Amino acid sequence: KIYLILNITSTPFLQVSTKSSSNDDGHVFLKMDAGMTDVLRPSLYGAIHPITILPASGKSSDIGTSTESVVVVGHCCESGDLMTPKPGEPEALEERVLRKAEIGDIAVMDGSGAYCAGMSTKNYNSFPEAPEVLVDFDGNVHLIRKRQNLEQIYENELSADGIF
């Protein structure tokens, strides 16, 4: 198989860093540095993506066995930026039992490769488009789209001088 995927991996998933967590209103919220801008399906129709937390060290010996129930949210600070909705209910919170995460750990969202890249909300809240890679038949990884830089986000905007 050939996979078109977000970020550099060998299977189709989104890899993001854990940014923060909080315990408000009885929930532990796990905030990631990606969200509905990259994986829109949970926000649109309550799609469920398996999520795995891996240690920032990259060492399997650091994985640990502690778990916690969390609500996973993205970086957009929007009510729809929810990565763990109830199945089929995009506006309903659902806790998911995951490995206890620390800031900087990696969250892997399976099933969010090329399909989600095509649905991504381009430059929403000025977030850049994620890079994409292709994994070939031999498992070699090829960068096929670089992460968008800030200048590329604004390059088509024109001055409004003289309009008002």
Side-chain angles (χ1 to χ4, degrees):
K1 290 183 175 179
I2 295 180
Y3 295 106
L4 175 66
I5 56 180
L6 292 172
N7 294 324
I8 298 175
T9 78
S10 61
T11 55
F13 67 78
L14 175 66
Q15 174 183 320
V16 298
S17 296
T18 302
K19 299 305 278 185
S20 63
S21 63
S22 64
N23 192 353
D24 299 331
D25 298 327
H27 295 290
V28 174
F29 289 90
L30 185 61
K31 182 179 177 188
M32 301 190 300
D33 64 356
M36 63 186 248
T37 52
D38 309 290
V39 183
L40 193 55
R41 295 177 67 238
S43 300
L44 287 178
Y45 44 84
I48 303 302
H49 290 270
I51 300 173
T52 304
I53 305 296
L54 300 173
S57 68
K59 298 178 183 175
S60 58
S61 60
D62 292 340
I63 289 177
T65 57
S66 298
T67 60
E68 63 182 339
S69 292
V70 297
V71 174
V72 182
V73 296
H75 59 170
C76 291
C77 298
E78 295 280 358
S79 60
D81 199 11
L82 176 63
M83 299 295 104
T84 55
K86 287 185 179 177
E89 297 183 44
E91 296 180 15
L93 299 179
E94 174 124 317
E95 292 184 348
R96 185 103 46 99
V97 176
L98 301 174
R99 187 186 72 77
K100 187 169 176 63
E102 301 295 332
I103 293 174
D105 282 354
I106 303 298
V108 175
M109 292 187 68
D110 288 318
S112 59
Y115 182 61
C116 286
M119 293 178 70
S120 67
T121 53
K122 184 178 178 83
N123 302 134
Y124 184 84
N125 280 357
S126 297
F127 287 108
E129 289 182 285
E132 291 184 49
V133 299
L134 178 82
V135 179
D136 66 23
F137 293 110
D138 297 321
N140 299 310
V141 178
H142 306 275
L143 183 66
I144 59 171
R145 185 176 76 187
K146 298 185 292 186
R147 178 175 296 280
Q148 189 179 35
N149 64 44
L150 189 59
E151 292 77 23
Q152 291 171 320
I153 293 172
Y154 298 112
E155 72 183 349
N156 292 327
E157 293 186 11
L158 303 174
S159 172
D161 290 342
I163 295 175
F164 299 102

